[in-house]
PDB file of all heavy atoms in Angstrom:
ATOM      1  N   LEU S 725       6.233 -14.726  -8.075  1.00 96.00           N
ATOM      2  CA  LEU S 725       6.239 -13.422  -8.665  1.00 96.00           C
ATOM      3  C   LEU S 725       6.411 -12.412  -7.421  1.00 96.00           C
ATOM      4  O   LEU S 725       5.542 -12.516  -6.509  1.00 96.00           O
ATOM      5  CB  LEU S 725       5.098 -13.044  -9.531  1.00 96.00           C
ATOM      6  CG  LEU S 725       5.066 -11.658 -10.056  1.00 96.00           C
ATOM      7  CD1 LEU S 725       6.136 -11.520 -11.120  1.00 96.00           C
ATOM      8  CD2 LEU S 725       3.723 -11.324 -10.638  1.00 96.00           C
ATOM      9  N   ILE S 726       7.250 -11.536  -7.487  1.00 96.00           N
ATOM     10  CA  ILE S 726       7.327 -10.503  -6.423  1.00 96.00           C
ATOM     11  C   ILE S 726       7.302  -9.152  -7.198  1.00 96.00           C
ATOM     12  O   ILE S 726       8.164  -8.683  -8.057  1.00 96.00           O
ATOM     13  CB  ILE S 726       8.584 -10.504  -5.652  1.00 96.00           C
ATOM     14  CG1 ILE S 726       8.638 -11.822  -4.878  1.00 96.00           C
ATOM     15  CG2 ILE S 726       8.692  -9.317  -4.621  1.00 96.00           C
ATOM     16  CD1 ILE S 726       9.974 -12.102  -4.181  1.00 96.00           C
ATOM     17  N   ILE S 727       6.157  -8.359  -6.972  1.00 95.00           N
ATOM     18  CA  ILE S 727       5.970  -7.123  -7.704  1.00 95.00           C
ATOM     19  C   ILE S 727       6.330  -5.978  -6.620  1.00 95.00           C
ATOM     20  O   ILE S 727       5.841  -6.019  -5.503  1.00 95.00           O
ATOM     21  CB  ILE S 727       4.540  -6.996  -8.207  1.00 95.00           C
ATOM     22  CG1 ILE S 727       4.412  -5.673  -8.921  1.00 95.00           C
ATOM     23  CG2 ILE S 727       3.576  -7.261  -7.212  1.00 95.00           C
ATOM     24  CD1 ILE S 727       3.132  -5.511  -9.777  1.00 95.00           C
ATOM     25  N   THR S 728       7.012  -5.087  -6.994  1.00 96.00           N
ATOM     26  CA  THR S 728       7.572  -3.981  -6.081  1.00 96.00           C
ATOM     27  C   THR S 728       6.907  -2.764  -6.675  1.00 96.00           C
ATOM     28  O   THR S 728       7.169  -2.298  -7.832  1.00 96.00           O
ATOM     29  CB  THR S 728       9.009  -3.859  -5.863  1.00 96.00           C
ATOM     30  OG1 THR S 728       9.458  -5.181  -5.444  1.00 96.00           O
ATOM     31  CG2 THR S 728       9.400  -2.777  -4.976  1.00 96.00           C
ATOM     32  N   LEU S 729       6.153  -2.094  -5.821  1.00 95.00           N
ATOM     33  CA  LEU S 729       5.615  -0.742  -6.298  1.00 95.00           C
ATOM     34  C   LEU S 729       6.356   0.462  -5.565  1.00 95.00           C
ATOM     35  O   LEU S 729       6.908   0.271  -4.465  1.00 95.00           O
ATOM     36  CB  LEU S 729       4.116  -0.655  -5.929  1.00 95.00           C
ATOM     37  CG  LEU S 729       3.229  -1.814  -6.511  1.00 95.00           C
ATOM     38  CD1 LEU S 729       1.820  -1.581  -6.017  1.00 95.00           C
ATOM     39  CD2 LEU S 729       3.238  -1.863  -7.992  1.00 95.00           C
ATOM     40  N   GLU S 730       6.282   1.577  -6.176  1.00 95.00           N
ATOM     41  CA  GLU S 730       7.009   2.703  -5.699  1.00 95.00           C
ATOM     42  C   GLU S 730       6.195   4.007  -5.668  1.00 95.00           C
ATOM     43  O   GLU S 730       5.430   4.158  -6.594  1.00 95.00           O
ATOM     44  CB  GLU S 730       8.309   2.895  -6.463  1.00 95.00           C
ATOM     45  CG  GLU S 730       9.175   4.062  -6.101  1.00 95.00           C
ATOM     46  CD  GLU S 730      10.530   4.009  -6.945  1.00 95.00           C
ATOM     47  OE1 GLU S 730      10.423   4.438  -7.971  1.00 95.00           O
ATOM     48  OE2 GLU S 730      11.492   3.544  -6.389  1.00 95.00           O
ATOM     49  N   ALA S 731       6.246   4.728  -4.653  1.00 95.00           N
ATOM     50  CA  ALA S 731       5.443   5.985  -4.650  1.00 95.00           C
ATOM     51  C   ALA S 731       6.281   7.157  -3.892  1.00 95.00           C
ATOM     52  O   ALA S 731       7.036   6.659  -2.945  1.00 95.00           O
ATOM     53  CB  ALA S 731       4.032   5.823  -4.178  1.00 95.00           C
ATOM     54  N   SER S 732       6.203   8.298  -4.182  1.00 93.00           N
ATOM     55  CA  SER S 732       6.835   9.366  -3.493  1.00 93.00           C
ATOM     56  C   SER S 732       6.090   9.713  -2.209  1.00 93.00           C
ATOM     57  O   SER S 732       6.634  10.393  -1.307  1.00 93.00           O
ATOM     58  CB  SER S 732       7.149  10.545  -4.293  1.00 93.00           C
ATOM     59  OG  SER S 732       5.919  11.081  -4.748  1.00 93.00           O
ATOM     60  N   GLY S 733       4.834   9.442  -2.136  1.00 93.00           N
ATOM     61  CA  GLY S 733       3.912   9.840  -1.025  1.00 93.00           C
ATOM     62  C   GLY S 733       3.089   8.744  -0.675  1.00 93.00           C
ATOM     63  O   GLY S 733       3.011   7.614  -1.289  1.00 93.00           O
ATOM     64  N   LEU S 734       2.331   8.932   0.423  1.00 93.00           N
ATOM     65  CA  LEU S 734       1.331   7.933   0.884  1.00 93.00           C
ATOM     66  C   LEU S 734      -0.074   8.455   0.838  1.00 93.00           C
ATOM     67  O   LEU S 734      -0.307   9.681   0.778  1.00 93.00           O
ATOM     68  CB  LEU S 734       1.614   7.632   2.429  1.00 93.00           C
ATOM     69  CG  LEU S 734       2.963   7.086   2.753  1.00 93.00           C
ATOM     70  CD1 LEU S 734       3.183   6.976   4.284  1.00 93.00           C
ATOM     71  CD2 LEU S 734       3.267   5.847   2.031  1.00 93.00           C
ATOM     72  N   ASP S 735      -1.033   7.516   0.802  1.00 91.00           N
ATOM     73  CA  ASP S 735      -2.475   8.021   0.553  1.00 91.00           C
ATOM     74  C   ASP S 735      -3.039   8.476   2.019  1.00 91.00           C
ATOM     75  O   ASP S 735      -2.247   8.512   2.925  1.00 91.00           O
ATOM     76  CB  ASP S 735      -3.275   6.874   0.013  1.00 91.00           C
ATOM     77  CG  ASP S 735      -3.393   5.667   0.775  1.00 91.00           C
ATOM     78  OD1 ASP S 735      -3.092   5.691   1.997  1.00 91.00           O
ATOM     79  OD2 ASP S 735      -3.981   4.591   0.394  1.00 91.00           O
ATOM     80  N   ASP S 736      -4.253   8.846   1.991  1.00 92.00           N
ATOM     81  CA  ASP S 736      -4.863   9.219   3.224  1.00 92.00           C
ATOM     82  C   ASP S 736      -4.931   8.217   4.417  1.00 92.00           C
ATOM     83  O   ASP S 736      -5.096   8.611   5.571  1.00 92.00           O
ATOM     84  CB  ASP S 736      -6.173   9.824   3.118  1.00 92.00           C
ATOM     85  CG  ASP S 736      -7.238   8.951   2.469  1.00 92.00           C
ATOM     86  OD1 ASP S 736      -6.803   7.810   2.155  1.00 92.00           O
ATOM     87  OD2 ASP S 736      -8.392   9.263   2.302  1.00 92.00           O
ATOM     88  N   ARG S 737      -4.537   7.024   3.971  1.00 93.00           N
ATOM     89  CA  ARG S 737      -4.500   5.852   5.035  1.00 93.00           C
ATOM     90  C   ARG S 737      -3.101   5.681   5.617  1.00 93.00           C
ATOM     91  O   ARG S 737      -2.891   4.917   6.506  1.00 93.00           O
ATOM     92  CB  ARG S 737      -5.019   4.524   4.411  1.00 93.00           C
ATOM     93  CG  ARG S 737      -6.482   4.644   3.966  1.00 93.00           C
ATOM     94  CD  ARG S 737      -6.917   3.433   3.164  1.00 93.00           C
ATOM     95  NE  ARG S 737      -6.004   3.272   2.033  1.00 93.00           N
ATOM     96  CZ  ARG S 737      -6.090   2.430   1.061  1.00 93.00           C
ATOM     97  NH1 ARG S 737      -6.995   1.491   1.226  1.00 93.00           N
ATOM     98  NH2 ARG S 737      -5.372   2.390   0.041  1.00 93.00           N
ATOM     99  N   GLY S 738      -2.220   6.392   4.908  1.00 94.00           N
ATOM    100  CA  GLY S 738      -0.740   6.237   5.225  1.00 94.00           C
ATOM    101  C   GLY S 738      -0.086   5.032   4.527  1.00 94.00           C
ATOM    102  O   GLY S 738       0.753   4.387   4.944  1.00 94.00           O
ATOM    103  N   MET S 739      -0.655   4.647   3.354  1.00 94.00           N
ATOM    104  CA  MET S 739      -0.164   3.552   2.527  1.00 94.00           C
ATOM    105  C   MET S 739       0.208   4.010   1.223  1.00 94.00           C
ATOM    106  O   MET S 739      -0.421   4.845   0.656  1.00 94.00           O
ATOM    107  CB  MET S 739      -1.323   2.573   2.366  1.00 94.00           C
ATOM    108  CG  MET S 739      -1.899   1.867   3.634  1.00 94.00           C
ATOM    109  SD  MET S 739      -3.331   0.816   3.171  1.00 94.00           S
ATOM    110  CE  MET S 739      -3.581   0.090   4.721  1.00 94.00           C
ATOM    111  N   VAL S 740       1.126   3.082   0.582  1.00 94.00           N
ATOM    112  CA  VAL S 740       1.350   3.291  -0.849  1.00 94.00           C
ATOM    113  C   VAL S 740       0.176   2.749  -1.578  1.00 94.00           C
ATOM    114  O   VAL S 740      -0.474   3.450  -2.502  1.00 94.00           O
ATOM    115  CB  VAL S 740       2.612   2.577  -1.377  1.00 94.00           C
ATOM    116  CG1 VAL S 740       2.732   2.605  -2.771  1.00 94.00           C
ATOM    117  CG2 VAL S 740       3.834   3.221  -0.762  1.00 94.00           C
ATOM    118  N   LEU S 741      -0.331   1.595  -1.235  1.00 93.00           N
ATOM    119  CA  LEU S 741      -1.445   0.875  -1.758  1.00 93.00           C
ATOM    120  C   LEU S 741      -1.671  -0.287  -0.891  1.00 93.00           C
ATOM    121  O   LEU S 741      -0.776  -0.914  -0.287  1.00 93.00           O
ATOM    122  CB  LEU S 741      -1.164   0.447  -3.197  1.00 93.00           C
ATOM    123  CG  LEU S 741      -2.402  -0.155  -3.967  1.00 93.00           C
ATOM    124  CD1 LEU S 741      -3.470   0.932  -4.162  1.00 93.00           C
ATOM    125  CD2 LEU S 741      -1.985  -0.767  -5.360  1.00 93.00           C
ATOM    126  N   ASP S 742      -2.923  -0.571  -0.582  1.00 92.00           N
ATOM    127  CA  ASP S 742      -3.351  -1.728   0.254  1.00 92.00           C
ATOM    128  C   ASP S 742      -2.831  -2.994  -0.406  1.00 92.00           C
ATOM    129  O   ASP S 742      -3.119  -3.239  -1.585  1.00 92.00           O
ATOM    130  CB  ASP S 742      -4.859  -1.634   0.361  1.00 92.00           C
ATOM    131  CG  ASP S 742      -5.384  -2.678   1.475  1.00 92.00           C
ATOM    132  OD1 ASP S 742      -4.666  -3.718   1.636  1.00 92.00           O
ATOM    133  OD2 ASP S 742      -6.329  -2.393   2.098  1.00 92.00           O
ATOM    134  N   PHE S 743      -2.188  -3.839   0.414  1.00 92.00           N
ATOM    135  CA  PHE S 743      -1.687  -5.120  -0.164  1.00 92.00           C
ATOM    136  C   PHE S 743      -2.804  -5.883  -0.781  1.00 92.00           C
ATOM    137  O   PHE S 743      -2.567  -6.594  -1.841  1.00 92.00           O
ATOM    138  CB  PHE S 743      -1.006  -5.994   0.868  1.00 92.00           C
ATOM    139  CG  PHE S 743       0.375  -5.317   1.268  1.00 92.00           C
ATOM    140  CD1 PHE S 743       0.658  -4.965   2.631  1.00 92.00           C
ATOM    141  CD2 PHE S 743       1.478  -5.288   0.394  1.00 92.00           C
ATOM    142  CE1 PHE S 743       1.880  -4.394   2.941  1.00 92.00           C
ATOM    143  CE2 PHE S 743       2.626  -4.755   0.776  1.00 92.00           C
ATOM    144  CZ  PHE S 743       2.872  -4.273   2.071  1.00 92.00           C
ATOM    145  N   SER S 744      -3.922  -5.917  -0.248  1.00 91.00           N
ATOM    146  CA  SER S 744      -5.123  -6.705  -0.791  1.00 91.00           C
ATOM    147  C   SER S 744      -5.550  -6.142  -2.100  1.00 91.00           C
ATOM    148  O   SER S 744      -5.951  -6.931  -2.975  1.00 91.00           O
ATOM    149  CB  SER S 744      -6.336  -6.659   0.219  1.00 91.00           C
ATOM    150  OG  SER S 744      -6.845  -5.360   0.353  1.00 91.00           O
ATOM    151  N   GLU S 745      -5.326  -4.890  -2.477  1.00 90.00           N
ATOM    152  CA  GLU S 745      -5.642  -4.279  -3.862  1.00 90.00           C
ATOM    153  C   GLU S 745      -4.591  -4.943  -4.805  1.00 90.00           C
ATOM    154  O   GLU S 745      -5.019  -5.234  -5.844  1.00 90.00           O
ATOM    155  CB  GLU S 745      -5.577  -2.858  -3.822  1.00 90.00           C
ATOM    156  CG  GLU S 745      -5.897  -2.179  -5.104  1.00 90.00           C
ATOM    157  CD  GLU S 745      -7.330  -2.387  -5.577  1.00 90.00           C
ATOM    158  OE1 GLU S 745      -8.123  -2.917  -4.863  1.00 90.00           O
ATOM    159  OE2 GLU S 745      -7.587  -2.107  -6.869  1.00 90.00           O
ATOM    160  N   ILE S 746      -3.293  -4.980  -4.387  1.00 89.00           N
ATOM    161  CA  ILE S 746      -2.357  -5.595  -5.228  1.00 89.00           C
ATOM    162  C   ILE S 746      -2.775  -7.086  -5.604  1.00 89.00           C
ATOM    163  O   ILE S 746      -2.708  -7.483  -6.712  1.00 89.00           O
ATOM    164  CB  ILE S 746      -1.031  -5.600  -4.767  1.00 89.00           C
ATOM    165  CG1 ILE S 746      -0.547  -4.114  -4.327  1.00 89.00           C
ATOM    166  CG2 ILE S 746       0.090  -6.180  -5.569  1.00 89.00           C
ATOM    167  CD1 ILE S 746       0.772  -3.887  -3.571  1.00 89.00           C
ATOM    168  N   THR S 747      -3.093  -7.696  -4.411  1.00 88.00           N
ATOM    169  CA  THR S 747      -3.416  -9.245  -4.759  1.00 88.00           C
ATOM    170  C   THR S 747      -4.703  -9.348  -5.565  1.00 88.00           C
ATOM    171  O   THR S 747      -4.707 -10.141  -6.431  1.00 88.00           O
ATOM    172  CB  THR S 747      -3.812  -9.822  -3.337  1.00 88.00           C
ATOM    173  OG1 THR S 747      -2.613  -9.617  -2.566  1.00 88.00           O
ATOM    174  CG2 THR S 747      -4.026 -11.251  -3.521  1.00 88.00           C
ATOM    175  N   ARG S 748      -5.638  -8.396  -5.278  1.00 88.00           N
ATOM    176  CA  ARG S 748      -6.974  -8.569  -6.187  1.00 88.00           C
ATOM    177  C   ARG S 748      -6.657  -8.300  -7.666  1.00 88.00           C
ATOM    178  O   ARG S 748      -6.992  -9.091  -8.446  1.00 88.00           O
ATOM    179  CB  ARG S 748      -7.951  -7.455  -5.646  1.00 88.00           C
ATOM    180  CG  ARG S 748      -9.279  -7.654  -6.330  1.00 88.00           C
ATOM    181  CD  ARG S 748     -10.240  -6.457  -6.075  1.00 88.00           C
ATOM    182  NE  ARG S 748      -9.725  -5.214  -6.395  1.00 88.00           N
ATOM    183  CZ  ARG S 748      -9.742  -4.741  -7.684  1.00 88.00           C
ATOM    184  NH1 ARG S 748     -10.213  -5.503  -8.699  1.00 88.00           N
ATOM    185  NH2 ARG S 748      -9.376  -3.566  -7.943  1.00 88.00           N
ATOM    186  N   VAL S 749      -5.855  -7.292  -7.936  1.00 87.00           N
ATOM    187  CA  VAL S 749      -5.608  -6.968  -9.387  1.00 87.00           C
ATOM    188  C   VAL S 749      -4.567  -7.993  -9.989  1.00 87.00           C
ATOM    189  O   VAL S 749      -4.897  -8.503 -11.013  1.00 87.00           O
ATOM    190  CB  VAL S 749      -5.068  -5.513  -9.466  1.00 87.00           C
ATOM    191  CG1 VAL S 749      -4.630  -5.205 -10.848  1.00 87.00           C
ATOM    192  CG2 VAL S 749      -6.141  -4.554  -9.025  1.00 87.00           C
ATOM    193  N   VAL S 750      -3.544  -8.173  -9.455  1.00 88.00           N
ATOM    194  CA  VAL S 750      -2.460  -9.022 -10.071  1.00 88.00           C
ATOM    195  C   VAL S 750      -2.829 -10.453  -9.927  1.00 88.00           C
ATOM    196  O   VAL S 750      -2.726 -11.145 -11.004  1.00 88.00           O
ATOM    197  CB  VAL S 750      -1.069  -8.793  -9.222  1.00 88.00           C
ATOM    198  CG1 VAL S 750      -0.118  -9.668  -9.749  1.00 88.00           C
ATOM    199  CG2 VAL S 750      -0.680  -7.267  -9.322  1.00 88.00           C
TER     200      VAL S 750
END
């Protein structure tokens, strides 16, 4: 499974979302 997330901006760390968070949830 390849999940692609999209955002118009970045968080205060300069990320859309931490990859480890995607892994944890998904």
Side-chain angles (χ1 to χ4, degrees):
L725 178 72
I726 301 171
I727 181 171
T728 301
L729 304 180
E730 183 174 78
S732 59
L734 303 176
D735 66 14
D736 60 353
R737 302 170 296 184
M739 300 176 172
V740 170
L741 189 66
D742 190 327
F743 288 118
S744 64
E745 179 67 9
I746 300 169
T747 302
R748 184 187 65 75
V749 172
V750 176

